[in-house]
Amino acid sequence: MQNSRFKNIPEITEALWLRLKESGLPIHSFLAEQGGTLLKEAYEAPYTAMDLHRMFSITKSLCSLATGFLYADGRLSLDDRIADYFPEYCSCGEIHPWLKEMTIRHMLSMETCHSSTTYKADTSKNWVESFFTTPPSHRSGQIFLYDTSSSHTLAALVKKLTGKGVLDYLREKCLDKTGFSKEAYIILDPFGSEMGGSGLMARPTDLLKLGRFCMDTLKKGTGKFADYIREAVSFKVPTIHFGQTTDEQQGYGYQFWRIRNGFAMYGMGGQYVLFYPDLDLVFVVTADTQNMKGGNQKILDLIHDAVKKILDQPEQIWNPEGPRSWDASYRLFANPGGFSRLSLSFGPAEGALALSGPDSAFHIPYSFHTQTISILEEYKQRIAVQGMWAGPDTLYLPVQIAGECVGSIHFLLRLSDERVTVWMKKIEETYFHEFQGFLEGVKE
């Protein structure tokens, strides 16, 4: 290896495998390679090297790669409106402008106008069609929320433009050259469309080969597809309000997650392809943590601790800054919480958020440097808030509740000169129901 400090990677990788085995987690496989050299390949019963494994949301990253090839070949633009490709689902009545304005780029970065996966509301109806007929909850391109129907629709777009499923199209473009198994497939939904958000059945070695292709393209590739890969794995949208693990709070690209010191493909239940570009290192893990609270965090922490032993640099964490000052009031559109007006002000050190409606008014002060403690008057509960910038125009306000009620309220505000989009979530069992969902407003 070119750098002498990397010589201990095989030993650290072996020790990592032993720690994963001893963790008590149901690990099914662990693979590692660096620069194309296999460092470790291990399996636990009942899985073997030949078994196809459900990879769940890793499928999303394959949809991103297929979209990237279509972009590189000039068959679509990332700023094309998705509704234009599916007129069969958009011709019955006037399409909502928030849906009409949604682009392929919004779908890739999980900034759709939907607050959740659309087809889960009624799986007996066409899953792709549901993406276009479900009423939107907010403007597209504003807030990250995990929307598997977005990836499902991207897979349908690949089929519409190429006549091939995502895997068959990728086999033609890159997978056959990597040795990706012929037996791999993507499960179909009840209406014959590939489950582009969760349906991949493949071998762990397939993911390792795909991981090496992505890493080599990132580091050495040229042309429009390589440029797309570099964009896809970079920070595009904050996820600090959404992520369930430390790594999931590092941001999102185009159907790829950012993680500490790298990026990743993620699948439910502990399916991971983890990339560390500075080390030219790829890890693959398959598991089933669905019934183990904190299992994913444990896997990621064990791997992160191993990587830290190799790296001699600080963690690469997105730490943006926002505007130095702000003072604006917004008229809010109709919303379930009944709020009609939002005011936001801040300077370099502190600020305040105010929400009001016909029957209520809330004033929430905060600081950027420490916890600001106050009383949420409507509920007579003590709160503490320290604001932070999740992106250059995205303010995150986590509100801790301390009193008879114990919990939190989370605000993520996407700011622009003329409009505001606010995502709200309350985590408390009894009260604070008005702080749930989205607010859209225009500057007064």
Side-chain angles (χ1 to χ4, degrees), residues 4 18 23 45 109 139 162 178 205 236 242 267 269 289 319 325 333 347 402 407 409 432 442:
S4 59
L18 292 177
S23 68
S109 59
R139 286 184 294 149
T162 68
T178 70
T205 52
K236 292 298 179 186
F242 184 88
T289 61
N319 187 25
S325 63
F333 303 149
I409 305 168
F432 311 101
V442 293

Side-chain angles (χ1 to χ4, degrees), residues 78 105 218 226-236 253-254:
L78 301 189
R105 192 186 304 275
L218 173 72
D227 291 342
Y228 173 85
I229 287 290
R230 295 180 185 109
E231 285 287 302
V233 305
S234 66
F235 182 103
K236 292 298 179 186
Y254 294 155

Side-chain angles (χ1 to χ4, degrees), residues 117-128 130 189-191:
T117 299
T118 59
Y119 59 77
K120 288 187 177 181
D122 186 351
T123 57
S124 68
K125 295 182 179 179
N126 187 289
W127 290 17
V128 177
S130 73
D189 75 11
F191 300 88

Side-chain angles (χ1 to χ4, degrees), residues 323-330 341-355 362-368 372 385 387 389 395 397 413 415 420 443:
R324 298 291 290 172
S325 63
W326 199 270
D327 189 2
S329 295
Y330 301 88
R341 190 171 181 269
L342 180 150
S343 296
L344 180 71
S345 62
F346 57 78
E350 59 187 21
L353 169 69
L355 282 167
F362 297 92
H363 180 76
I364 301 173
Y366 58 90
S367 168
F368 289 110
T372 295
V385 192
W389 289 103
L395 177 64
L397 300 176
L413 299 92
L415 307 174
V420 66
K443 187 177 286 187

